[in-house]
Amino acid sequence: MIIMAPVLLILLGATEILQADFLPDEKISLLPPVNFTIKVTGLAQVLLHWEPNPDQEQRNVNLEYQVKINAPKEDDYETRITESKCVTILHKGFSASVRTILQNDHSLLASSWASAELHAPPGSPGTSVVNLTCTTNTTADNYSHLRPYQVSLHCTWLVGTDAPEDTQYLLYYRYGSWTEECQEYSKDSLGRNIACWFPRTFIRSRGRDWLAVLVNGSSKHSAIKPFDQLFALHAIGKDEHKPLREWFLIVLMATICFILLILLLICRICHLWIKLFPPIPAPKSNIKDLFVTANYEKAGSVETEIEVISYIEKPGVETLEDSVF
Ligand SMILES: *[C@@H]1O[C@H](CO)[C@@H](O)[C@H](O)[C@H]1NC(C)=O
Ligand SMILES: *[C@@H]1O[C@H](CO)[C@@H](O)[C@H](O)[C@H]1NC(C)=O
Ligand SMILES: *[C@@H]1O[C@H](CO)[C@@H](O)[C@H](O)[C@H]1NC(C)=O
Ligand SMILES: *[C@@H]1O[C@H](CO)[C@@H](O)[C@H](O)[C@H]1NC(C)=O
Ligand SMILES: *[C@@H]1O[C@H](CO)[C@@H](O)[C@H](O)[C@H]1NC(C)=O
């Protein structure tokens, strides 16, 4: 590790010099992107798209874009490409801005903002559903060998306080690229849908995707305001006992990967070093410390894959997971 430090420093220095070369001496004037649009591409999902300003001088610099989501929930991020996908509720409307930026360690140059917005969908106040709650239930499926586990979805809600008596609600869910409309509803005494049941869904119980649920509706007397909500399947309260064997495998895999990587690095650096200078004793200190930190970091990223494997390994248990949002 001692010999790595100067190499790293030299590399860092080189990048700094390279970056400095690209920085303009005089101020470059940045123009905002053009044709900024927001398109609904799915349930609770939009695509932001813009074009670089055609009058923008390039002059060998790496222009980036800063995207700012203003509503319904503030967010702020940077990107090098000219589009961006957002998963967000849309029943309150959506608005965002984008600007061209040029940044280095010391300063940030920015154009003015280009903005666009989607209006909240129309509907009379008090007509949308309230207290929408959804539950998933993962069960073994003895009839399909391809998908040995099925995730069912059950949602309930309350009729909006100002919804007319003839209101009919419809529920849709989206998971990844799959969208489905509910086919099995429960009704209240006036015949209005107040719960929905999907015996089978495209939901993967341990997936990282959001579950988006939309309830819209219709009535002869007033426009019914739609309501959508996002559920994080991976952030559910159920504290699963993780077998020790699983952790052991995770740590083992991470360690093997890391040792291989370090060996490769050490080999390369030693070769270089021996060519440049007479041989010196191989460095031993600090390597152990590095192992510990890197193992810890790797364990996090390998975890998901292991989880999937382990849950396929447990047949015969009918109810594997009940998740309440
Ligand atoms: C922006 O949109 C207009 C009208 O659709 C089009 O004529 C123009 O070429 C677009 N500009 C860019 C840079 O794509
Ligand atoms: C519906 O949710 C609101 C808060 O969001 C809560 O105050 C109210 O008690 C809930 N109603 C029922 C019937 O659960
Ligand atoms: C999950 O499904 C199983 C089997 O159908 C059922 O016994 C169990 O009660 C369900 N749990 C919930 C919370 O719906
Ligand atoms: C409800 O939403 C679905 C899915 O977006 C759409 O296809 C349907 O037309 C909507 N219905 C009403 C009454 O707005
Ligand atoms: C699936 O198989 C398990 C174990 O073989 C059994 O206990 C369960 O009743 C079966 N479920 C269905 C729906 O047939």
Side-chain angles (χ1 to χ4, degrees):
M1 290 314 107
I2 294 165
I3 47 169
M4 269 180 87
V7 177
L8 278 178
L9 278 179
I10 291 165
L11 278 176
L12 274 176
T15 9
E16 293 255 316
I17 292 164
L18 276 177
Q19 274 179 355
D21 265 354
F22 278 115
L23 281 183
D25 294 337
E26 343 121 47
K27 261 200 170 173
I28 179 171
S29 68
L30 294 181
L31 300 173
V34 297
N35 292 8
F36 178 35
T37 56
I38 302 172
K39 201 168 91 188
V40 178
T41 49
L43 214 153
Q45 178 175 279
V46 290
L47 182 72
L48 315 184
H49 182 89
W50 58 91
E51 298 288 342
N53 196 305
D55 301 325
Q56 177 67 55
E57 50 173 333
Q58 294 293 326
R59 223 197 296 171
N60 246 353
V61 290
N62 288 321
L63 294 182
E64 289 179 68
Y65 301 98
Q66 182 181 5
V67 179
K68 205 167 73 168
I69 311 296
N70 308 309
K73 192 168 167 284
E74 283 187 13
D75 196 8
D76 196 315
Y77 53 93
E78 279 132 41
T79 176
R80 289 181 187 278
I81 57 175
T82 59
E83 61 181 26
S84 167
K85 195 174 96 176
C86 280
V87 173
T88 171
I89 56 162
L90 295 172
H91 69 268
K92 294 176 179 165
F94 179 87
S95 93
S97 309
V98 60
R99 66 179 178 177
T100 313
I101 56 169
L102 175 59
Q103 59 181 337
N104 60 51
D105 299 340
H106 319 291
S107 64
L108 173 98
L109 283 177
S111 72
S112 56
W113 294 98
S115 298
E117 78 174 296
L118 290 177
H119 293 292
S124 312
T127 55
S128 69
V129 299
V130 290
N131 298 36
L132 175 65
T133 311
C134 291
T135 310
T136 57
N137 190 357
T138 306
T139 51
D141 180 356
N142 298 353
Y143 307 108
S144 163
H145 294 291
L146 289 173
R147 272 182 82 101
Y149 291 87
Q150 282 296 335
V151 178
S152 63
L153 175 66
H154 186 248
C155 294
T156 61
W157 58 89
L158 298 175
V159 170
T161 43
D162 297 319
E165 291 197 348
D166 74 330
T167 301
Q168 200 48 281
Y169 291 115
L170 297 175
L171 181 140
Y172 302 78
Y173 84 86
R174 179 180 65 78
Y175 187 78
S177 55
W178 296 98
T179 303
E180 278 193 301
E181 180 183 348
C182 183
Q183 303 297 335
E184 294 181 39
Y185 290 101
S186 309
K187 295 170 187 297
D188 70 1
S189 55
L190 292 170
R192 299 178 293 191
N193 295 338
I194 51 162
C196 157
W197 157 249
F198 290 91
R200 288 155 176 263
T201 62
F202 292 99
I203 299 169
R204 280 173 48 232
S205 62
R206 310 269 179 130
R208 294 258 153 189
D209 277 329
W210 289 93
L211 170 67
V213 175
L214 165 79
V215 184
N216 61 14
S218 56
S219 153
K220 287 197 187 88
H221 307 289
S222 53
I224 305 300
K225 229 175 156 34
F227 180 82
D228 56 359
Q229 193 167 322
L230 290 167
F231 298 95
L233 295 171
H234 50 87
I236 291 155
K238 186 166 169 129
D239 206 2
E240 285 227 354
H241 175 69
K242 205 182 273 288
L244 211 65
R245 193 168 51 94
E246 228 175 284
W247 277 111
F248 177 70
L249 272 177
I250 292 169
V251 172
L252 189 74
M253 270 171 66
T255 312
I256 290 173
C257 287
F258 189 71
I259 288 174
L260 284 177
L261 197 79
I262 287 294
L263 280 181
L264 200 81
L265 265 177
I266 288 176
C267 279
R268 289 191 156 237
I269 288 165
C270 284
H271 269 289
L272 198 76
W273 199 257
I274 288 165
K275 274 183 193 165
L276 292 176
F277 301 96
I280 52 159
K284 284 204 178 90
S285 61
N286 287 345
I287 290 183
K288 211 172 141 200
D289 286 351
L290 211 80
F291 276 5
V292 176
T293 31
N295 285 348
Y296 174 74
E297 281 167 16
K298 287 242 170 180
S301 61
V302 181
E303 192 177 329
T304 32
E305 288 157 44
I306 298 296
E307 274 183 0
V308 174
I309 292 165
S310 79
Y311 105 87
I312 293 167
E313 276 175 359
K314 283 186 263 171
V317 188
E318 197 182 347
T319 306
L320 291 170
E321 190 182 319
D322 297 335
S323 328
V324 183
F325 308 101

